[in-house]
Amino acid sequence: MKKLLYILVIGIGLTSCTKEEFEIETNYQFEMTGRSAQDINGYYKVTLDPDTLKQTLHRFGAYVTNTDKWNLPTKIIWRSDAFWYLQDTIGYTYIEIGNVPTGESPWSWENFAVTGFDGMTVPIVNGTSHADPAVDSAYCMMAPIGAMIGDTVTIYGQAWFEEGDIILYDSINVIFK
């Protein structure tokens, strides 16, 4: 009799739980936006500086649920199908040198080229960002160069919600003019 009562209590306990109690709510949103004008085909248009090696900065983003069920921030991973290559000199730095016997000033500035980067690959988008905790949005910077005028690129996004490793995907197309 004890054994039958024990099995009955266990059976009632197991059948009283419903499937809905264990399911994770997945009404998260992730929709990318290019933050510029679109043509009739939905391609975003970004105007670049015509100097072939000069970067043009443009901020794009996504409307995304900023936190998950446990109030953890949403992580966005960005990537693009476009990149460019560095030349040897990426810029110049100025160093203050003291006690120079020039007669004018005891301090002067020396200009040094930053070299040794020839052929390195530069992606046009930053790799990751996190949703703003105050609003349902996330942003990323792109930095294409003038030599990309006329190119069409696709930018991909993945929104990672910690709750149950939920991942949402989206992409946008951009024409550089």
Side-chain angles (χ1 to χ4, degrees), residues 5-142:
L5 186 57
Y6 180 72
I7 291 173
L8 185 62
V9 170
I10 296 293
I12 290 172
L14 290 176
T15 58
S16 66
C17 298
T18 62
K19 182 179 176 185
E20 288 78 29
E21 292 177 24
F22 297 108
E23 288 183 359
I24 296 173
E25 190 175 327
T26 58
N27 60 347
Y28 296 120
Q29 295 180 352
F30 178 60
E31 182 182 349
M32 291 178 60
T33 177
R35 297 176 48 94
S36 64
Q38 286 181 285
D39 64 12
I40 58 171
N41 297 319
Y43 286 69
Y44 291 94
K45 295 184 175 190
V46 175
T47 304
L48 303 183
D49 187 314
D51 185 350
T52 58
L53 294 177
K54 189 168 183 182
Q55 290 180 310
T56 301
L57 299 178
H58 179 75
R59 184 170 88 157
F60 65 96
Y63 300 109
V64 62
T65 306
N66 60 355
T67 57
D68 67 6
K69 183 177 177 180
W70 292 296
N71 208 27
L72 296 170
T74 304
K75 180 179 181 179
I76 315 296
I77 298 173
W78 311 99
R79 69 178 182 83
S80 173
D81 61 359
F83 54 89
W84 54 278
Y85 296 107
L86 283 176
Q87 293 184 336
D88 185 53
T89 303
I90 63 170
Y92 296 90
T93 185
Y94 298 92
I95 298 174
E96 187 176 22
I97 300 173
N99 295 326
V100 178
T102 60
E104 298 172 7
S105 169
W107 297 94
S108 69
W109 294 92
E110 188 67 36
N111 181 2
F112 293 98
V114 180
T115 61
F117 297 92
D118 188 29
M120 292 183 81
T121 304
V122 180
I124 66 165
V125 297
N126 290 340
T128 59
S129 60
H130 286 84
D132 185 334
V135 293
D136 287 345
S137 59
Y139 299 101
C140 183
M141 293 299 292
M142 78 167 72

